[in-house]
Amino acid sequence: MDRRTFFKAGWGAFGLAALVSGVGVSLVAVGRYLMPSVFYEPPQAFKIGTPGDFAFGAPSFLVDQKIYVFRDRDKGFAVASAVCTHLGCTVAHFQSDQKFHCPCHGSIFGADGGVQHGPAPRALDWYEVTLARDGQLRVDKNKVVPPTYRLMV
Amino acid sequence: MNIFREIYQSIVRRDPLSTDKGKTELVFLNVWLHIHPAKVKKEHMKFRHTFYLGFISFFLLLILITTGIALMVYYRPYPAAAYQDMKDLQFVIYMGPFLRGMHRWAAHGMVACVFLHMCRVFYTGSYKKPRQFNWVIGVVLLLLTLGMSFTGYLLPWDQLAYWAITVGTNIGSYAPLVGGMLKEVLLGGHSVGEGALIRFYVLHVAVLPLLVVLFTVVHFWRVRKDGGLSRPVWKLKAPKTAPLVQIGGTAEAVPLAVQAASTEKTYGLMEVVTGKPIFETVTPEEDDDAVFSYPYAFVREGITLMATVTTIMSMAIFLRAPLEELANPAKTPNPAKAPWYFLGLQELVSHSALLGGVVAPALMVIALLVVPYIDRNPSRRPRDRKWAIWLFTAFVVVNLVLIVIGTFFRGPGWALVPPWVHVTGGAE
């Protein structure tokens, strides 16, 4: 390879590398731009009121948080997600059979949240519920707990 | 008087339409008409060859753009206002329901016509060499059409919209590796909310229409460059081995119109006046069939345009576009159904989200894209391509059956309920 060819190839490779990296960086930047830097969404950890606000027996459905709050006389508090694990529809808890029914594709979850029927790939999530210092119940959706988890108050 | 004649001449700048030269100049001196050839063959313009489905799809697109712009005047894309604006469009704004109805029925019609157009192109074998790539562009246009429908579906911000998009975007999140990120980028958040609404709006009114128009332009351009409208199947002759003539080959007298070895002639691009595009090989007696595009093709296109607009207007008058109650993230309607053209997909998803929602549709799209490269059979005659026709028919039937099941046979909780059984309210 003579000197002239060497420099020609060198400049060519340099130009190509510059072009590819320029386009690549731009694409990454576009992708990053499309990823929101801030979410104006409700917080994942929130307070839901004092234990006295919740009745025994049938679970309370909290609309905004999409959770079911169970209160059992012997076993205490448990919080289940109302979001179907299949495609995100809101499941309905039927008092008649103690099960969660998804209206979208017919998934049925048992009392412990386990899949009993339908296309749902996994059980409903149960979230950690704790007692905050001010005496309110605090649910943290970032902390998934086993269905046996109970908060005794 | 002369000044008016001069003004008119300065605009049209062609000979009178009574002359052949004028008819030709009308086509190629006009930016809007020059996508046509100066001449068309009567057989190729036969209604029963194409059912004009491509034209109709394009005219529906024009209706969608026009009515869409009109609707944009009153629509504000954020949750607090969107549904209110839909109510205004439905009950307050002059001609609101009519415009919204036209937009909706044209959208449904476009999905149907683009699909039927694809079926026609397949059954007539019109995707074969040299038109392979235009088929691929057509498949892209089908996907863009579905994308426009899907993004438009969220905008009314009613229960139907909210849950269809919740289900739809969750299907996307099952895609391996990129699924979660895809959903976040599409929604601008973790669930359908104001971020999702503005993003879908931008896709619906700017990004996707721009892409559709660009690809449509390429699609039309390629129709011309790949040999014009395909010849009707019933006009096909037994395949001959006449070599394709090189364009602009030798330095002999007429380089662009070389006599082929057989009795057929191949016409070159420069002979625009005769309306024979590149690669079009015809036998001389068929020349009698060619007529000037003006008025033969333009009249037919004009009638198709008017019929399309009239049909959509009539539908908009008699059938009102539905609007359900305000979107309620807490309460999923039972059953929650996607728009009809996605109900086949939803039926698949009800069995498995990954297989039915991601793998099966991805395989279908890939299969459609590679059709012209897999099918090596050069013949376009139905009796030579039984396998291809059977396979494609199976594809169409499976899709239709899934859509029919999803539409008519699925009741509350996605349980199988025949359409003749009336279900009164699920247990709640």
Side-chain angles (χ1 to χ4, degrees), chain B residues 290-312:
Chain B
V291 289
F292 282 104
S293 293
Y294 173 87
Y296 193 86
F298 297 159
V299 164
R300 277 155 182 76
E301 287 171 26
I303 290 172
T304 311
L305 173 63
M306 283 190 279
T308 309
V309 172
T310 310
T311 307
I312 296 299

Side-chain angles (χ1 to χ4, degrees), chain B residues 87-167:
Chain B
K87 283 281 188 203
D88 277 1
L89 274 167
Q90 207 75 341
F91 298 108
V92 180
I93 292 160
Y94 174 71
M95 290 269 206
F98 179 66
L99 280 174
R100 199 178 152 233
M102 278 188 78
H103 197 71
R104 186 183 180 89
W105 304 128
H108 285 306
M110 191 171 158
V111 171
C113 285
V114 169
F115 183 78
L116 291 172
H117 176 59
M118 182 177 78
C119 295
R120 192 283 294 173
V121 170
F122 189 93
Y123 285 124
T124 59
S126 303
Y127 56 87
K128 301 203 170 194
K129 199 172 176 180
R131 297 188 177 86
Q132 303 103 312
F133 190 64
N134 215 15
W135 166 273
V136 175
I137 294 169
V139 174
V140 171
L141 280 167
L142 171 67
L143 297 179
L144 287 171
T145 305
L146 291 174
M148 288 214 295
S149 301
F150 185 63
T151 50
Y153 214 74
L154 178 64
L155 304 186
W157 203 250
D158 61 352
Q159 278 287 72
L160 198 65
Y162 185 89
W163 290 103
I165 302 307
T166 297
V167 169

